[in-house]
Amino acid sequence: MSTKQTVTLVDVARRASVSLATASRVLNGSMRTVGPEFRARVMDAAQELGYVANANAQAVARGASNVVGLTVHDIADPYFSAIAAGVMRVADEHGLVMLLGSTERSPEREVEYVSMLRAQRARALIIAGSRTSDRKRIDRLATEIAAFRGVGGRVACISQNRLRTDTVLPQNRAGARDLGRELAAMGHRRFAVLAGPRGLLTASDRLAGFRDGIRAADVVPEELHLIHGPFTRDGGYESALELLRDGPRVTCLFAVNDVMAVGAMAALREHGVAVPDQVSVAGFDDIATLRDLSPALTTVRLPLEDMGVRAARMTFVDEESDTPRVARVRGQVILRESTAAPPAT
Amino acid sequence: MSTKQTVTLVDVARRASVSLATASRVLNGSMRTVGPEFRARVMDAAQELGYVANANAQAVARGASNVVGLTVHDIADPYFSAIAAGVMRVADEHGLVMLLGSTERSPEREVEYVSMLRAQRARALIIAGSRTSDRKRIDRLATEIAAFRGVGGRVACISQNRLRTDTVLPQNRAGARDLGRELAAMGHRRFAVLAGPRGLLTASDRLAGFRDGIRAADVVPEELHLIHGPFTRDGGYESALELLRDGPRVTCLFAVNDVMAVGAMAALREHGVAVPDQVSVAGFDDIATLRDLSPALTTVRLPLEDMGVRAARMTFVDEESDTPRVARVRGQVILRESTAAPPAT
DNA sequence: CTGTTAGCGCCTTCAG
DNA sequence: CTGAAGGCGCTAACAG
């Protein structure tokens, strides 16, 4: 509570009439190696002075900070904020702080963030959502990641398996397959897929899985119309409009993520297309905020927050392993009101 | 791209055959004070070595870091993630990094975060969502904030005006008043308000405003039933169930935020209560992810991301002012499908 | 168990 | 314009 500008360890030591080293030991050091008498004096002094160790100084002296970094595409996207919540929780349990970078889906910014985190000497880095198939970008990122490791940092990815890092891998393909199978089994034969941007692995995996699923149901689709567009609500909306305008008539629409599905449903509603009576709609992710839609959205549930937790554990609680580990997490199909058998012709 | 463990400024200097000081000047220093010849040599060396300045060391030497802190109640809540996105954007424009703390609505954790940010020597701190009316908690937080300022940090609050800091103040009361007036004008006389937790100013302001609005419409409500509960989706759901179970019959339900409104609508739907035919429902915030509900939710729009931007500017781009500034932001009533005139008796 | 003393990586006067 | 040297706050050997 002092009014002094900046209380340092020397101040505390002086006030407690002990050496700098002793003060350091009781306040931060590796535990009980200080007599109770001194210990108490130091604690009191620190308390009275309102002392808080300068984390930066500690980081430089120790050679490692207590920050962990997380990069996401867009923190306002509920998919990523759920992951962030998971990482946050674990960081907190371990007395670490979380530095967040929102890349706005720009690969350059992603690389910049990794670099900033290296500058901060972050002890861990979690990269969520970078799944491009562009070779050059991957290499650039890989280089930066290597540098990050070079200064002692550990890294994990969520949804990215071409980077030779530990990774939490949602089974996008398997999940979409299960979904596709169910939908085909319901009787659908004419599909449209809002497939997201080209070159985004998460999107293409889900598309591929969906195809697999239809095939697995021994169904030959009469139609499987693809529409590419942004991975966002508006992307879904626009894509659906496009379908309505000049696409084929379909009975089932699969959007490769929930937010796109919501956009699509809005477009359908505006055009008086009934869901699921005229067309069934399904998404992917099971975003919590979207669970109360009406009609309730059929989707594939991913344990988002848990994925964040697992990635966090891999980077800063589990032992380091020499070979990259991958934690596969399975998606679970959740059939709700937005899907039903196709209308009788 | 070297393989050396940690490239430091000395390494760069040596490789460029210049002094440490010169290297420091070109890489970070206050610009043009180094000859173009030397400058180039240093840049090249840094490049080749993959040098990145140790931010912690810089912070220690300079006495100030490049981190800004943001504390929120829950980063997975879209209200806060929108704010975070705004802060993030500004931080980024200014080459600062954002440290995020999710307090899980615990006042102690909030205080802890402020303390951690002081430890990090964060140059700015933005506190979002702490609006208790508990005197003791306010004091504790105020003390910690004072300490934070003591080490040179600047701070702003979003939705909090009892802390003598710069603040971005959503006009909760005025917004709710406008909404209440509209609803009363539609003919409603029997209201229920899902009022959130007691002691949360944001919630009580909105309730007070709503009351004002009804009165302003020259209406004497025949009923104004209050139900307190958590400020979350589930809180809204439970509160609505409670109303359904043993509350009075009402024609209009106002939930003090959108996520609660969504929970309430889910409860109503499950019980076969039609919205808006039997009861009108309104929320507050206009959460982006929830704009595609059906029926679309009447609400009061708050420019969430922009609020984050403004708070950020106040703390680390605008000049410091001696007296606390307050940026009021107005909410705008958005009437949508979830509200209508009450059913004819 | 406690105190002394080097660093950690960088910035910044202060001379040259 | 450039280089040498001290200092930022803290930790970690190394001696007593």
Side-chain angles (χ1 to χ4, degrees):
Chain A
M1 297 321 86
S2 129
T3 197
K4 191 167 177 307
Q5 275 304 350
T6 264
V7 182
T8 75
L9 197 52
V10 267
D11 298 322
V12 176
R14 186 152 35 220
R15 194 171 214 286
S17 315
V18 300
S19 77
L20 219 192
T22 299
S24 172
R25 283 192 273 256
V26 7
L27 259 15
N28 317 295
S30 27
M31 297 300 102
R32 340 214 148 287
T33 170
V34 175
E37 164 72 7
F38 284 71
R39 168 171 229 81
R41 287 215 316 256
V42 173
M43 301 280 280
D44 290 351
Q47 176 74 44
E48 291 161 24
L49 263 32
Y51 171 78
V52 171
N54 180 326
N56 293 299
Q58 292 188 137
V60 27
R62 292 210 254 251
S65 73
N66 66 335
V67 353
V68 311
L70 169 67
T71 71
V72 299
H73 279 344
D74 176 8
I75 189 58
D77 182 325
Y79 176 91
F80 293 109
S81 60
I83 289 177
V87 173
M88 184 81 245
R89 187 146 54 82
V90 181
D92 226 81
E93 289 168 7
H94 294 261
L96 302 174
V97 296
M98 187 179 97
L99 214 39
L100 181 68
S102 197
T103 66
E104 311 306 325
R105 301 187 158 74
S106 149
E108 297 90 56
R109 312 236 347 233
E110 189 160 57
V111 169
E112 280 169 23
Y113 271 119
V114 178
S115 177
M116 300 201 78
L117 286 165
R118 170 156 66 111
Q120 300 289 341
R121 296 298 185 270
R123 42 149 49 82
L125 161 61
I126 294 167
I127 299 180
S130 174
R131 292 199 70 193
T132 175
S133 48
D134 179 332
R135 236 315 154 218
K136 212 156 118 204
R137 289 176 179 173
I138 294 178
D139 289 346
R140 183 83 188 78
L141 188 55
T143 301
E144 203 54 50
I145 286 179
F148 181 81
R149 283 219 179 89
V151 299
R154 301 205 18 209
V155 10
C157 291
I158 294 180
S159 266
Q160 166 59 289
N161 54 2
R162 305 199 171 174
L163 233 32
R164 306 210 81 259
T165 64
D166 286 348
T167 122
V168 171
L169 196 59
Q171 305 275 270
N172 288 311
R173 187 151 183 170
R177 173 158 24 78
D178 294 347
L179 177 66
R181 192 186 309 122
E182 297 269 12
L183 262 14
M186 276 184 199
H188 291 282
R189 296 295 177 267
R190 306 182 59 81
F191 304 89
V193 178
L194 308 195
R198 295 169 199 283
L200 184 67
L201 292 181
T202 297
S204 52
D205 285 352
R206 290 177 183 180
L207 167 59
F210 192 70
R211 281 191 148 120
D212 293 348
I214 295 171
R215 197 173 312 132
D218 275 326
V219 162
V220 191
E222 295 166 18
E223 180 67 61
L224 187 57
H225 188 70
L226 300 189
I227 302 176
H228 289 278
F231 212 45
T232 60
R233 183 272 176 201
D234 289 346
Y237 180 83
E238 296 298 341
S239 296
L241 284 187
E242 190 180 323
L243 175 68
L244 255 18
R245 201 171 47 233
D246 37 46
R249 286 224 347 278
V250 300
T251 62
C252 181
L253 188 164
F254 169 47
V256 296
N257 74 17
D258 280 2
V259 296
M260 291 178 68
V262 168
M265 283 178 66
L268 294 177
R269 195 180 311 126
E270 285 176 13
H271 284 251
V273 177
V275 175
D277 297 342
Q278 290 175 268
V279 5
S280 287
V281 174
F284 201 113
D285 287 340
D286 195 33
I287 296 298
T289 319
L290 263 19
R291 290 189 191 144
D292 290 306
L293 286 182
S294 157
L297 185 63
T298 286
T299 190
V300 179
R301 170 174 299 180
L302 245 29
L304 267 6
E305 179 164 343
D306 189 54
M307 285 162 54
V309 168
R310 297 180 70 169
R313 289 205 214 289
M314 285 204 260
T315 48
F316 55 82
V317 355
D318 294 351
E319 289 305 307
E320 176 140 31
S321 89
D322 34 352
T323 75
R325 284 163 301 192
V326 16
R328 291 172 211 282
V329 338
R330 197 158 176 94
Q332 185 195 356
V333 173
I334 310 221
L335 295 175
R336 290 195 277 230
E337 308 159 5
S338 69
T339 50
T345 317
Chain B
M1 296 325 89
S2 127
T3 197
K4 193 166 175 311
Q5 275 305 349
T6 266
V7 181
T8 74
L9 197 52
V10 266
D11 298 323
V12 176
R14 185 152 38 219
R15 193 172 215 287
S17 315
V18 300
S19 78
L20 217 186
T22 300
S24 171
R25 284 192 272 256
V26 8
L27 259 15
N28 317 297
S30 26
M31 295 301 101
R32 339 221 147 283
T33 170
V34 175
E37 165 71 8
F38 284 70
R39 168 171 229 78
R41 287 217 314 256
V42 173
M43 301 280 279
D44 290 353
Q47 176 74 45
E48 292 162 21
L49 262 33
Y51 171 78
V52 171
N54 181 326
N56 292 300
Q58 292 189 139
V60 142
R62 294 209 256 249
S65 74
N66 66 336
V67 352
V68 312
L70 169 67
T71 71
V72 300
H73 279 344
D74 175 9
I75 188 57
D77 182 326
Y79 176 91
F80 293 109
S81 60
I83 289 176
V87 173
M88 182 83 247
R89 186 147 55 80
V90 181
D92 226 81
E93 288 168 8
H94 293 261
L96 302 174
V97 295
M98 187 179 99
L99 213 41
L100 180 68
S102 196
T103 66
E104 311 306 325
R105 301 186 157 74
S106 148
E108 298 89 55
R109 312 241 343 237
E110 189 160 58
V111 169
E112 280 169 24
Y113 271 118
V114 178
S115 177
M116 300 202 76
L117 287 164
R118 170 156 66 111
Q120 300 288 342
R121 296 299 184 270
R123 42 151 46 84
L125 161 62
I126 294 167
I127 298 180
S130 175
R131 293 199 69 193
T132 176
S133 48
D134 179 333
R135 237 311 152 221
K136 214 158 116 202
R137 289 177 178 173
I138 294 178
D139 288 346
R140 183 80 189 81
L141 188 55
T143 301
E144 203 52 52
I145 287 178
F148 180 82
R149 283 220 179 88
V151 299
R154 303 211 7 214
V155 10
C157 291
I158 294 180
S159 266
Q160 167 58 289
N161 54 2
R162 304 198 171 175
L163 233 32
R164 306 212 79 259
T165 65
D166 285 349
T167 122
V168 172
L169 196 58
Q171 305 275 270
N172 288 309
R173 186 152 183 167
R177 171 157 27 77
D178 294 347
L179 177 65
R181 191 186 310 121
E182 296 270 13
L183 261 13
M186 276 182 199
H188 291 282
R189 296 296 178 269
R190 307 180 60 80
F191 304 89
V193 178
L194 307 195
R198 295 169 198 283
L200 183 66
L201 292 182
T202 298
S204 53
D205 285 352
R206 290 177 183 179
L207 167 58
F210 192 71
R211 280 191 150 120
D212 293 348
I214 294 172
R215 197 173 311 132
D218 274 325
V219 163
V220 191
E222 295 165 19
E223 180 67 62
L224 187 57
H225 188 70
L226 300 188
I227 302 177
H228 289 278
F231 213 44
T232 61
R233 184 271 177 201
D234 290 346
Y237 181 82
E238 296 299 339
S239 296
L241 284 188
E242 189 179 323
L243 174 67
L244 254 18
R245 202 171 46 233
D246 37 47
R249 286 223 353 277
V250 301
T251 62
C252 180
L253 188 163
F254 169 47
V256 295
N257 74 16
D258 280 2
V259 296
M260 291 179 67
V262 168
M265 283 178 66
L268 294 177
R269 196 181 311 126
E270 285 176 13
H271 284 251
V273 178
V275 174
D277 297 341
Q278 291 175 265
V279 4
S280 287
V281 175
F284 202 113
D285 287 342
D286 195 34
I287 297 298
T289 318
L290 263 20
R291 290 188 192 146
D292 290 308
L293 286 181
S294 155
L297 185 63
T298 286
T299 190
V300 178
R301 171 173 298 180
L302 245 29
L304 267 7
E305 180 163 344
D306 189 54
M307 284 162 54
V309 168
R310 297 179 70 171
R313 289 205 215 289
M314 285 205 256
T315 49
F316 55 82
V317 354
D318 294 351
E319 288 305 308
E320 175 140 33
S321 89
D322 34 353
T323 75
R325 284 162 301 193
V326 13
R328 290 172 210 284
V329 338
R330 198 161 174 92
Q332 185 195 356
V333 173
I334 310 220
L335 295 175
R336 292 196 277 229
E337 307 158 5
S338 69
T339 49
T345 317

